[in-house]
Amino acid sequence: GESVGLHLPTLSVQEGDNSIINCAYSNSASDYFIWYKQESGKGPQFIIDIRSNMDKRQGQRVTVLLNKTVKHLSLQIAATQPGDSAVYFCAESGGGTSYGKLTFGQGTILTVHP
Amino acid sequence: NAGVMQNPRHLVRRRGQEARLRCSPMKGHSHVYWYRQLPEEGLKFMVYLQKENIIDESGMPKERFSAEFPKEGPSILRIQQVVRGDSAAYFCASSRADLSGNTIYFGEGSWLTVV
């Protein structure tokens, strides 16, 4: 898709499809990872988190996968709905600093077409 | 079950004025974090506070910015002598403890516009 506005990666899907949003993190010592959803004019909304002693965690319609070997995190959204349209951020913490001191990824714009 | 409450939601200040942003953490949360989101950027950590203590201010600009979390009342982020570059969304987050796995919840943000 075309990157506009924030020059973020974009993902466009049809309603009902599954979405996969990827994130590469930098600090190999990070041990706690979170996905947030941010709609225009609102604050980040917690979606799901995972600790480094796990490689997969499932929630309602969402799954997070963690690959520590290549420092990669992904968010899978099943049966994507128009209300899922937003910017999605991964965040990492830990590794010797406070857990609330999150380092955010650049974000991905998800657009769901009816 | 109120979440993280921030006010004002929108604030307009002229260059040189002061901006005060307030944050009340979620009930039961004693750890507060402030983040800034500049246009076309992601969220960046500014400061981490507990009641009456600044724990980590490594993300705060050295001048004009200060933060406090008094024993009573909300946490305050104060920006003195604002400049156009301070225009941004300022988000407060809180957690129950600063431990792995303790969910960090964000407020809806305060949008500062400097004219």
Side-chain angles (χ1 to χ4, degrees), chain A residues 87-106:
Chain A
V87 180
Y88 287 79
F89 291 97
C90 65
E92 59 180 295
S93 77
T97 63
S98 70
Y99 283 97
K101 186 177 180 179
L102 301 173
T103 300
F104 280 79
Q106 64 176 338

Side-chain angles (χ1 to χ4, degrees), chain A residues 63-85:
Chain A
T63 301
V64 55
L65 299 177
L66 174 64
N67 185 332
K68 296 180 287 295
T69 302
V70 295
K71 292 189 283 187
H72 183 268
L73 196 66
S74 68
L75 176 70
Q76 300 177 4
I77 306 174
T80 317
Q81 303 167 0
D84 294 328
S85 294

Side-chain angles (χ1 to χ4, degrees), chain B residues 1-71:
Chain B
N1 185 19
V4 179
M5 304 300 291
Q6 291 188 246
N7 69 84
R9 290 296 316 280
H10 298 275
L11 182 64
V12 179
R13 284 287 178 265
R14 295 185 185 278
R15 281 178 295 171
Q17 290 185 319
E18 178 179 289
R20 284 195 179 212
L21 310 177
R22 288 174 291 278
C23 168
S24 296
M26 284 182 69
K27 187 176 180 180
H29 287 193
S30 58
H31 300 256
V32 167
Y33 313 87
W34 284 93
Y35 285 78
R36 176 166 65 175
Q37 188 172 34
L38 294 169
E40 302 190 11
E41 291 188 17
L43 285 86
K44 297 287 174 59
F45 169 82
M46 298 181 75
V47 62
Y48 161 36
L49 310 104
Q50 295 179 26
K51 288 283 188 182
E52 300 183 282
N53 278 302
I54 297 174
I55 308 301
D56 183 342
E57 57 180 347
S58 58
M60 286 276 274
K62 294 287 185 273
E63 298 178 347
R64 301 187 298 108
F65 285 72
S66 63
E68 62 177 8
F69 189 15
K71 186 177 181 181

Side-chain angles (χ1 to χ4, degrees), chain B residues 70-100:
Chain B
K71 186 177 181 181
E72 301 289 339
S75 174
I76 306 286
L77 180 67
R78 181 184 180 201
I79 311 171
Q80 295 178 288
Q81 299 174 313
V82 296
V83 300
R84 288 222 171 105
D86 297 332
S87 295
Y90 292 84
F91 291 99
C92 175
S94 74
S95 68
R96 187 176 300 276
D98 192 54
L99 295 171
S100 177

Side-chain angles (χ1 to χ4, degrees), chain A residues 5-43:
Chain A
L6 297 176
H7 305 289
L8 301 177
T10 60
L11 176 64
S12 293
V13 300
Q14 291 295 127
E15 181 178 2
D17 287 352
N18 295 333
S19 301
I20 299 176
I21 301 171
N22 297 303
C23 176
Y25 63 93
S26 55
N27 187 354
S28 56
S30 293
D31 57 6
Y32 181 52
F33 305 88
I34 314 168
W35 280 101
Y36 286 97
K37 170 188 179 184
Q38 187 177 26
E39 296 174 279
S40 181
K42 295 189 175 182

